[in-house]
Amino acid sequence: MPAFPQHPPRPQHPAQPSAPGDFPPFRAAAREAVRDTTLGANLRRATHTIRDKRARAVAELADWDRLRAAGKAVKDHTLRHLDRYLLQLEAAVTAAGGAVHWAADAAEANRIVTGLVLATGEREVVKVKSMATQEIGLNEALEAAGIAAYETDLAELIVQLGHDRPSHILVPAIHRNRGEIRDIFASEMGRWGRPAPDGLGDDPRELAEAARLHLREKFLRAKVAVSGANFMVAETGTMVVLESEGNGRMCLTLPETLISVVGIEKVVPTFRDLEIFLQTLPRSSTAERMNPYTTMWTGTTEGDGPRAFHLVLLDNGRTDTLADEVGRQALRCIRCSACLNVCPVYERAGGHAYGSVYPGPIGAILSPQLRGTASGIDASLPFASTLCGACYEVCPVAIDIPEVLVHLRERVVQGGPVTREGVRVRIRPARGHAAERAAMRAARLLLERPGALRAGERLLARARRLRPDRLPGPGRAWTDTRELPDLPAEPFRDWWARERGGRT
């Protein structure tokens, strides 16, 4: 084994807002993002490539709809009986030699993990990609305690070296292109450990090899690892991590102590249930028939893998979400990111505009429920959608994201009540919602009077030729960034009357 420095450079985590209230509302953040032409090109290229590959991979399975329905059924059943399956999981993990810790919120989870690391006497950890630890700000909590946390997922490494924030669930550095990544590696790797090779180019293979060499010393030296888990099996206490690079396998097998921080919704009842998700998750996320690296472990085994295993079960708003009959379906999410890759809003605004580790359509319904809608960013997220429904069509567990968005919009517009960190609070409707409520009242009055509705439709049909290319007033914000579609040759009412004999 090569000799490595005993005191490597400490990573400095990116300066970023520490609370939802520090982020601007989605509309303001998105307005800035759409002006970034480089960001737009990066997102458009990446999301179109991923979603096209996914569509081909899913089309190979004749029973995809049945798998989707089965995944939904398993998740719904588990959520209805979550208390029972979590206790079964705890018993199974404990029987297999692991230790289970319960964390009600981010602060408690950070205290638990920090204490476990300090108890080992170590001052650095390697991490396999975990959205739960990003959600609670674990890296920053560890740094405050003098512990260096090294991300080992390639995209997470790019984000960490670039003093950046993740912008995608599957590909956190999707907003970066190859040239930007090369520059980050060349300028930052030496400050964190092994420097990038001289003359590093932007070929993906060169970049991957530079990351591999940089991370190898950390894998071989680290005594403590922190992970998440894609699934937890209640009947056996088995943890499951799916990843594509092999970094997870290194983190999960080489260190002496392994600490896994996992949201309580990730549990499934039986080992057999994995059959469904091991088919749907790879195809929905990376468009692969089978995941390249699927690591499973149950507690500890003498002479094989870590000698100590700790499971931290994270609530952090999930129990409150579970209490909402409409919103709880967000907890089915298996973090595939398919909804991000088809979303027209995400494609133009990017992930940073969502002000959360969970961007895109799923973030627009999950973050406001986990954090509450007391902040400007969380109150604005349910409106970060066109309600086109593309996200629902591709979701492998059939989360009806548009339904939840409308449900949350109603809650925000009406001003609560909202649950946040166990406290019932009322919020003030955001600016602009008063006009929306007035418009909805006017629409209701019109729709309740069929005669007035028909008269209005006839009037609009007569004014077809007067349609402007740009809308006046507040409507300019819409037409300044898109073209109005061409009107058909005749009004729908006239076509219906002619073709179907419908009443006009």
Side-chain angles (χ1 to χ4, degrees):
M1 182 183 300
F4 299 121
Q6 294 300 311
H7 302 286
R10 295 289 187 188
Q12 297 297 312
H13 296 287
Q16 53 183 305
S18 57
D22 296 329
F23 289 96
F26 179 84
R27 179 180 298 179
R31 186 180 298 115
E32 294 299 319
V34 296
R35 295 173 182 157
D36 188 335
T37 56
T38 300
L39 173 65
N42 293 346
L43 289 170
R44 185 166 52 254
R45 185 183 310 110
T47 56
H48 283 230
T49 298
I50 296 172
R51 76 191 193 195
D52 290 345
K53 290 175 61 179
R54 176 208 168 272
R56 292 193 294 270
V58 167
E60 294 177 351
L61 295 182
D63 62 344
W64 178 259
D65 288 339
R66 293 172 59 192
L67 283 169
R68 187 176 186 240
K72 174 182 181 293
V74 168
K75 283 288 190 176
D76 282 346
H77 168 80
T78 308
L79 292 172
R80 284 195 300 272
H81 305 284
L82 190 58
D83 53 347
R84 173 175 25 123
Y85 287 121
L86 287 174
L87 291 176
Q88 183 182 8
L89 173 72
E90 180 184 34
V93 170
T94 303
V100 177
H101 310 264
W102 298 80
D105 54 26
E108 186 173 11
N110 287 333
R111 284 196 303 271
I112 291 170
V113 177
T114 301
L116 291 173
V117 177
L118 291 175
T120 68
E122 296 296 318
R123 293 298 180 270
E124 63 180 23
V125 302
V126 289
K127 294 181 63 193
V128 56
K129 183 178 178 182
S130 165
M131 301 201 74
T133 62
Q134 295 171 3
E135 174 189 328
I136 64 177
L138 178 62
N139 285 11
E140 291 74 22
L142 292 175
E143 183 179 354
I147 301 166
Y150 297 104
E151 299 289 351
T152 65
D153 174 84
L154 177 56
E156 293 287 354
L157 175 66
I158 295 166
V159 169
Q160 189 176 44
L161 291 176
H163 306 282
D164 203 350
R165 290 186 291 113
S167 64
H168 193 275
I169 289 176
L170 178 67
V171 194
I174 196 171
H175 55 288
R176 298 288 193 181
N177 59 39
R178 292 187 298 178
E180 292 173 315
I181 296 170
R182 176 201 57 210
D183 294 342
I184 290 171
F185 280 9
S187 64
E188 297 294 328
M189 274 188 169
R191 303 179 186 179
W192 295 60
R194 179 169 179 155
D198 293 336
L200 178 67
D202 64 0
D203 181 82
R205 289 171 295 184
E206 287 187 64
L207 296 172
E209 180 63 16
R212 187 177 295 114
L213 294 173
H214 176 80
L215 291 171
R216 183 55 56 95
E217 65 174 83
K218 294 177 172 51
F219 288 136
L220 296 178
R221 183 180 58 232
K223 302 292 191 224
V224 182
V226 175
S227 84
N230 294 94
F231 306 102
M232 306 180 290
V233 182
E235 70 173 350
T236 61
T238 302
M239 304 289 114
V240 185
V241 166
L242 281 68
E243 42 100 13
S244 300
E245 301 165 13
N247 62 298
R249 185 69 53 83
M250 302 287 278
C251 286
L252 298 167
T253 57
L254 291 180
E256 296 175 359
T257 299
L258 173 59
I259 305 167
S260 297
V261 183
V262 191
I264 56 176
E265 81 280 14
K266 295 295 186 70
V267 66
V268 295
T270 70
F271 204 87
R272 185 174 181 178
D273 295 323
L274 293 177
E275 175 191 359
I276 301 167
F277 303 109
L278 293 183
Q279 294 182 75
T280 56
L281 180 54
R283 291 176 186 266
S284 292
S285 56
T286 56
E288 294 169 299
R289 298 182 181 93
M290 180 182 293
N291 198 68
Y293 292 91
T294 301
T295 305
M296 304 184 187
W297 72 98
T298 306
T300 59
T301 302
E302 184 66 30
D304 182 15
R307 290 181 288 189
F309 169 59
H310 297 271
L311 172 61
V312 181
L313 292 171
L314 178 69
D315 187 329
N316 204 38
R318 287 159 174 80
T319 299
D320 289 339
T321 303
L322 189 62
D324 188 325
E325 293 185 3
V326 176
R328 71 173 58 151
Q329 59 185 296
L331 297 179
R332 289 188 214 140
C333 179
I334 58 176
R335 309 292 192 265
C336 71
S337 78
C339 62
L340 280 71
N341 300 324
V342 299
C343 178
V345 176
Y346 175 86
E347 180 184 323
R348 288 159 179 79
H352 292 157
Y354 293 82
S356 169
V357 67
Y358 304 111
I362 186 61
I365 65 171
L366 187 58
S367 297
Q369 295 191 88
L370 294 182
R371 304 189 306 201
T373 52
S375 69
I377 179 62
D378 288 315
S380 70
L381 286 178
F383 299 88
S385 171
T386 65
L387 300 180
C388 69
C391 49
Y392 170 68
E393 294 299 326
V394 299
C395 178
V397 286
I399 301 172
D400 194 341
I401 293 178
E403 178 188 33
V404 183
L405 285 167
V406 172
H407 171 67
L408 294 177
R409 288 181 183 187
E410 179 183 13
R411 195 166 76 176
V412 170
V413 169
Q414 291 179 348
V418 179
T419 299
R420 185 170 187 262
E421 297 179 355
V423 179
R424 304 291 287 182
V425 299
R426 296 192 69 84
I427 62 171
R428 298 172 62 186
R431 285 188 304 174
H433 294 155
E436 183 173 337
R437 288 200 303 275
M440 290 299 102
R441 292 192 190 101
R444 183 181 65 187
L445 291 173
L446 185 62
L447 293 172
E448 287 176 344
R449 294 164 175 77
L453 177 62
R454 286 195 295 270
E457 290 173 341
R458 291 192 185 95
L459 179 61
L460 289 174
R462 302 292 184 272
R464 286 162 55 86
R465 296 180 180 178
L466 303 178
R467 188 203 72 165
D469 292 331
R470 295 293 177 89
L471 294 177
R476 288 181 59 87
W478 180 267
T479 53
D480 283 349
T481 55
R482 54 185 59 78
E483 295 179 358
L484 289 176
D486 294 332
L487 291 175
E490 61 180 335
F492 173 78
R493 291 172 53 83
D494 295 349
W495 175 89
W496 182 262
R498 187 185 71 253
E499 296 292 331
R500 304 292 178 89
R503 180 182 175 186
T504 61

